[in-house]
């Protein structure tokens, strides 16, 4: 059993949910988060600079503002991890900075509160 954690662009959430569901992965938790990667580019300033706004051009590169993202948590049996990872990459990869990150962690157990079931029985399965 593994936990897949993905940080993706806000505007990619609906496509990601659909693609994961189509791949047989319907259970997930998502949260709005703020963060940034290695770069310090403010996407709003970058967009403003592309449209020729002088204030945006002058401030570009002078900020390390955190950018809104989505954090997705998915607990999966081992046999679905590669499917989840490949689906997340396929849907979210644009080739531009800010596409996100995926982390895969071991998970010791999962318990369904209602029934007390343990392990893979409480997870999505193909």
């Amino acid at each position: 059993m593994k936990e897949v954690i993905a940080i993706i662009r806000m505007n990619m959430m609906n496509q990601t949910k659909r693609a994961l569901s189509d791949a047989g992965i319907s259970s997930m938790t998502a949260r709005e988060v703020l963060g940034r990667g290695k770069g310090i580019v403010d996407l709003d300033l970058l967009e403003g600079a592309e449209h020729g706004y002088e204030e945006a051009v002058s401030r570009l590169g002078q900020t390390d503002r955190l950018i809104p993202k989505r954090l997705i948590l998915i607990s999966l049996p081992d046999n679905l991890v590669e499917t989840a990872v490949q689906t997340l990459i396929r849907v979210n990869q644009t080739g531009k900075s800010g596409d996100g990150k995926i982390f895969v962690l071991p998970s010791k157990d999962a318990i369904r509160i209602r029934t007390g079931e343990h392990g893979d029985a409480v997870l999505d399965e193909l």
Side-chain angles (χ1 to χ4, degrees), residues 34-84:
L34 297 172
R36 67 182 190 105
K38 292 180 189 177
I40 60 168
V41 174
D42 180 331
L43 295 180
D44 292 333
L45 286 177
L46 185 60
E47 187 175 327
E50 288 174 352
H51 287 91
Y53 296 114
E54 289 182 34
E55 182 180 352
V57 172
S58 69
R59 291 185 53 211
L60 193 59
Q62 298 175 4
T63 181
D64 58 356
R65 190 179 130 224
L66 298 176
I67 298 169
K69 297 283 189 173
R70 283 281 187 181
L71 176 76
I72 301 172
L73 304 166
I74 311 167
S75 293
L76 298 163
D78 290 340
N79 65 318
L80 286 180
V81 171
E82 189 62 25
T83 299

Side-chain angles (χ1 to χ4, degrees), residues 19-27 76 80 83 124-126:
L20 287 168
S21 182
D22 291 347
I25 301 164
S26 59
S27 301
L76 298 163
L80 286 180
T83 299
D124 284 341
E125 292 190 32
L126 280 181

